[in-house]
Amino acid sequence: MRIADVESYPIRVPGASPPFVWRDGLLGSPPDGEAAVLRICTDEGVEGIAMAPRRGSAVILADVLDRFLRKELVGQDPLQREWLWHRMWELDRTEELPLYLLGLVDTALWDLAGRLADRPTWQMLGGFRTSIPAYASTVTYSSVEEYLDIADQALELGYPAIKLHAWGDARRDARLSVALREHVGDAIPLMFDGSAGFDLPDAIYLGHALSDADYLWYEEPIREFSITAYKRLSDAVAVPLLVAETSDGAHMNSADFIQAGAATFGVRASTQLRGGFTGAMRTAHLADAYRLRAEVHGPEIPNRHLCMAISNTTYYESLVMGNPISRESGIDAQGLVHAPTGPGVALPAGLDYPPALQRFVDKETLTPPKA
């Protein structure tokens, strides 16, 4: 079997309704825009697909395919995923590909493998579980009072844990974090995502508050350019650190965070930012060797597959937005996400796909991508 053609499709993705915001200094929810779907076709009729949900990715993917990627892939054996993963990183040396494109070919090849075997991709990766709890990952709200209301709604909907995205002001965020702990009590796991909003002194200040409030993890408080800064943070605070979400290099970069002692809870894994399924699984196995967690970042169907395949992950991340909030499609009343059952990975439902992609659309969930 050989790759016969590689195609890209622009897919219109609507903006969030209502729109939402992140911390001060970051752009909020993206408006309507074009995401991209990559389709790999073989001479035996087996195909694989993957979606890059970021707005603007359609133009970039089409350009990359036309300039060099199509000729790199056509004629290759689609089951030699390790070789093709290596080639993507070689191409990145001169092309400086966006992180979310580095793993797109790999994700499509794992989808193809699942369709060839008529099995869901999480089983091809090596299944570990068939369900996992989902935590409510908030957008940024206007006041402490609104956050407490959102927390009440999330618990009512069955979410067993809550992660805050706050304002990016260390003292204000600390007050919110303590207020939330006092509001929900000691039994509810809480996490805090700094969205890289702090320098080291402010990250330490907030970290002490999170330690005192018994937060499960403290995620990406500083831009991930300085591992030394993260090491100093880990030395200064007791709250465990979850790191290496957006840093380049997949497991290679994650290894440096771990070796430095900066990943005291664990590292992030995802298909979008860790080099597809192959990079995410390498990251998870690396973390497991040090008895650390590899927490899967973000919603979307590929990450549901990762959650079922990675032994050392704790939760599925479910974004909640607006007020009132609603439970993400595919999460049950007990807050559990269940393993996908269809072959391969699938495209998210609810979007306007061309006829050539309709057979790949997921039949189990209804929500379009949220990021």
Side-chain angles (χ1 to χ4, degrees):
M1 182 167 56
R2 297 288 166 178
I3 296 174
D5 196 12
V6 187
E7 302 170 348
S8 66
Y9 297 83
I11 304 297
R12 196 76 178 165
V13 177
S17 180
F20 60 83
V21 298
W22 295 116
R23 67 161 174 83
D24 293 345
L26 295 183
L27 298 177
S29 56
D32 293 0
E34 285 191 336
V37 171
L38 175 72
R39 180 187 180 200
I40 296 177
C41 308
T42 69
D43 56 5
E44 295 186 11
V46 185
E47 298 180 347
I49 50 88
M51 185 173 196
R54 292 184 183 240
R55 315 310 191 267
S57 56
V59 173
I60 298 173
L61 178 60
D63 170 68
V64 165
L65 277 181
D66 290 344
R67 285 194 298 111
F68 63 89
L69 188 54
R70 183 176 287 109
K71 66 182 179 182
E72 279 281 341
L73 294 175
V74 170
Q76 297 282 355
D77 182 343
L79 300 183
Q80 289 191 258
R81 290 180 298 272
E82 287 287 333
W83 163 246
L84 293 172
W85 194 86
H86 171 76
R87 283 301 300 155
M88 290 301 298
W89 286 93
E90 288 284 273
L91 296 169
D92 176 67
R93 173 60 186 85
T94 54
E95 293 297 324
E96 290 289 342
L97 296 168
L99 275 182
Y100 58 84
L101 285 191
L102 266 167
L104 199 63
V105 170
D106 184 77
T107 300
L109 293 174
W110 276 104
D111 176 70
L112 185 151
R115 294 177 189 281
L116 179 64
D118 196 29
R119 308 296 299 178
T121 291
W122 64 269
Q123 288 186 335
M124 304 298 293
L125 293 166
F128 181 79
R129 58 174 64 86
T130 56
S131 66
I132 194 169
Y135 66 83
S137 183
T138 75
V139 297
T140 301
Y141 289 95
S142 60
S143 65
V144 170
E145 291 72 26
E146 188 171 20
Y147 274 105
L148 300 185
D149 175 46
I150 295 299
D152 288 341
Q153 293 181 48
L155 297 175
E156 278 282 320
L157 290 170
Y159 286 106
I162 299 166
K163 188 178 81 174
L164 292 176
H165 291 89
W167 301 291
D169 178 319
R171 280 146 183 82
R172 190 181 181 199
D173 291 359
R175 290 192 292 272
L176 167 63
S177 301
V178 172
L180 180 60
R181 169 56 73 206
E182 292 173 348
H183 184 74
V184 301
D186 295 336
I188 302 299
L190 299 177
M191 301 82 101
F192 187 96
D193 189 332
S195 301
F198 306 109
D199 61 9
L200 181 58
D202 279 349
I204 291 173
Y205 177 90
L206 178 55
H208 286 315
L210 297 174
S211 301
D212 292 343
D214 193 28
Y215 272 58
L216 182 63
W217 75 61
Y218 188 15
E219 179 180 339
E220 199 194 2
I222 306 169
R223 286 302 301 268
E224 293 173 337
F225 300 134
S226 173
I227 295 176
T228 299
Y230 269 95
K231 169 57 176 169
R232 291 178 178 173
L233 178 62
S234 71
D235 289 341
V237 300
V239 62
L241 302 182
L242 180 62
V243 299
E245 177 179 312
T246 63
S247 56
D248 201 351
H251 65 291
M252 296 171 279
N253 179 266
S254 300
D256 286 335
F257 277 91
I258 293 171
Q259 191 279 333
T264 48
F265 190 87
V267 293
R268 274 304 207 179
S270 70
T271 56
Q272 269 201 60
L273 301 180
R274 297 282 91 183
F277 284 111
T278 296
M281 294 303 291
R282 288 186 180 192
T283 301
H285 295 156
L286 166 73
D288 189 48
Y290 287 88
R291 311 310 297 150
L292 294 168
R293 308 287 173 86
E295 294 296 336
V296 176
H297 165 250
E300 301 163 4
I301 296 171
N303 289 329
R304 294 190 180 201
H305 286 264
L306 275 181
C307 282
M308 303 306 156
I310 293 176
S311 64
N312 52 327
T313 197
T314 316
Y315 293 101
Y316 170 80
E317 181 172 15
S318 176
L319 191 65
V320 295
M321 64 189 77
N323 192 0
I325 62 171
S326 60
R327 191 168 57 230
E328 182 182 338
S329 178
I331 299 175
D332 68 20
Q334 287 70 50
L336 293 175
V337 176
H338 297 274
T341 60
V345 181
L347 295 172
L351 301 176
D352 186 16
Y353 296 103
L357 299 180
Q358 289 293 335
R359 69 186 184 89
F360 300 104
V361 177
D362 183 39
K363 306 297 192 296
E364 299 176 38
T365 60
L366 301 176
T367 49
K370 295 182 177 181

